[in-house]
Amino acid sequence: MSEFKSTLNDLTKVDDKDALLAEVEDILRDIKNDKSVYNALKALGITKEIARKNIIVVSDFQQSFHEVETCLKNKVCRAPGEHLQLKLRLDGDVVVREFEPCPAAKAFEARKLNLWYDDFPSEWDNLRLSDTKSITISNNNLTAVQALLKAINGDKSWIYLGGERRVGKSYLAVAFVNEYLAKELGSAAVINTSRRFKEINDLNFNDKEAFNNIISELSNVDLLVLDGFGDEYINDFIRDTIVLPILNERDSKNLLTIFTSRYTLNTVKDLYSGKSKVSSIRSEQLHELILSNINNEFYITGIPLG
């Protein structure tokens, strides 16, 4: 194509003009048979004659169109920050090039901006709750999925996904988060409680400002997933200075919160009870706070992967 373009730019230097013009007609036929590109050009008012006069630009548009199509299909740009989408504008009978970031790259940047914490494998980035090819839901787990779908549509009830290890609780929660972000419903954070609560605990002693910042972030992010809830190191400080303040703030602001845990809520209450009467009271407060915000405590029995 590069050789074709250079010769087309100056027909006076071409020995076989008929062959070159025949190639132009081949390209026009190819574009006409490429329905998606043809319809896009037609919508811009670009006729066959205009396309013929601007064949290089139109041909570049066809290539760019399908590159972007591939990015969107894969849900990731092949070169975020570098890949530009070629857009066309008609000025008389001249087709003018305009460039803008690839839509998949824009989605990538929006995701980075809105996903504040991502404690899950990068291979899960493209999971979607709506993608039945990637995730198959059994009848036993249908009510949990229905609750997640209601949340996509604006229900702010908290969701508690219990179940044994490796049955798909985190997988399901991340698929929901990705759906949430793709629909641009707000900011989200997925934290591994065992890892993050320890970090926050350490920050309380080492960097009070950073401690306050992360507590504020987890208290105010639009969607928070507490993954592995109950697996964290448990003591009165973590319960009273980290867990309860975050959840109380989220409760007061009606912010969506999802828990995944291998423990039932009653077991979590026991884990946080401690030995003193005061500790038991605080544990009961935590239990009641979560219970008052959920409609059901779901028990996941296995998410078969498609």
Side-chain angles (χ1 to χ4, degrees):
M1 179 62 73
S2 59
E3 180 182 351
F4 164 73
K5 289 178 181 177
S6 61
T7 53
L8 185 63
N9 284 332
D10 191 352
L11 289 175
T12 61
K13 298 179 182 179
V14 180
D15 294 331
D16 192 348
K17 296 178 184 177
D18 290 340
L20 184 60
L21 293 173
E23 188 171 352
V24 170
E25 296 305 313
D26 285 343
I27 294 172
L28 288 172
R29 275 191 293 273
D30 181 60
I31 289 173
K32 186 173 182 180
N33 292 327
D34 189 339
K35 294 301 182 185
S36 54
V37 171
Y38 178 78
N39 289 335
L41 293 172
K42 187 177 178 181
L44 291 169
I46 299 175
T47 64
K48 183 177 180 179
E49 286 307 312
I50 293 175
R52 183 181 284 109
K53 293 177 182 177
N54 298 269
I55 193 65
I56 295 175
V57 179
V58 170
S59 180
D60 285 347
F61 173 77
Q62 182 183 30
Q63 179 181 344
S64 175
F65 186 95
H66 290 300
E67 286 176 348
V68 169
E69 206 171 41
T70 300
C71 291
L72 292 173
K73 180 181 178 181
N74 295 332
K75 299 174 184 173
V76 60
C77 182
R78 60 189 175 90
E82 300 175 13
H83 185 198
L84 296 176
Q85 177 184 22
L86 174 59
K87 307 283 282 188
L88 302 181
R89 175 173 56 83
L90 191 58
D91 185 3
D93 61 354
V94 176
V95 179
V96 180
R97 300 171 188 257
E98 294 180 340
F99 293 92
E100 63 180 44
C102 168
K106 288 193 286 187
F108 175 83
E109 292 302 321
R111 178 184 172 83
K112 282 203 306 182
L113 180 66
N114 287 313
L115 184 57
W116 295 3
Y117 295 90
D118 59 349
D119 293 347
F120 56 85
S122 59
E123 307 88 75
W124 292 8
D125 284 353
N126 292 326
L127 286 176
R128 294 290 185 277
L129 198 61
S130 57
D131 187 357
T132 54
K133 292 182 180 179
S134 299
I135 185 166
T136 305
I137 308 301
S138 66
N139 287 334
N140 289 340
N141 301 315
L142 186 58
T143 53
V145 175
Q146 288 172 336
L148 291 168
L149 291 173
K150 285 178 65 178
I152 285 287
N153 291 320
D155 186 6
K156 300 295 185 182
S157 300
W158 294 3
I159 298 171
Y160 194 94
L161 303 175
E164 299 297 326
R165 291 182 184 274
R166 304 187 66 82
V167 294
K169 304 182 300 295
S170 302
Y171 189 91
L172 186 59
V174 170
F176 170 81
V177 168
N178 289 336
E179 197 83 49
Y180 185 92
L181 291 170
K183 292 181 181 295
E184 299 182 354
L185 298 178
S187 56
V190 180
I191 67 165
N192 176 288
T193 57
S194 182
R195 171 190 166 192
R196 293 292 181 179
F197 285 176
K198 181 182 184 305
E199 286 182 4
I200 298 170
N201 181 68
D202 293 344
L203 286 173
N204 181 61
F205 299 100
N206 303 325
D207 190 337
K208 197 68 176 179
E209 182 178 358
F211 171 86
N212 290 331
N213 286 340
I214 192 170
I215 292 292
S216 176
E217 287 173 341
L218 298 181
S219 299
N220 291 287
V221 66
D222 297 314
L223 165 62
L224 175 64
V225 176
L226 297 173
D227 190 32
F229 189 59
D231 288 337
E232 63 274 6
Y233 177 73
I234 290 173
N235 59 27
D236 290 355
F237 178 84
I238 286 177
R239 182 196 60 222
D240 298 342
T241 314
I242 299 174
V243 180
L244 272 170
I246 290 172
L247 293 183
N248 275 322
E249 188 70 10
R250 298 189 65 76
D251 171 52
S252 70
K253 294 179 177 177
N254 195 29
L255 294 173
L256 181 58
T257 308
I258 297 175
F259 305 81
T260 75
S261 180
R262 62 192 176 105
Y263 304 108
T264 66
L265 261 176
N266 282 333
T267 302
V268 170
K269 180 180 72 170
D270 292 340
L271 289 170
Y272 270 108
S273 288
K275 297 180 180 179
S276 69
K277 184 176 180 180
V278 171
S279 184
S280 295
I281 292 172
R282 297 290 280 167
S283 176
E284 183 64 37
Q285 290 173 342
L286 173 61
H287 179 258
E288 288 299 323
L289 175 61
I290 298 174
L291 206 58
S292 66
N293 277 284
I294 63 173
N295 291 326
N296 290 290
E297 183 177 347
F298 300 106
Y299 192 83
I300 304 300
T301 55
I303 302 294
L305 306 186

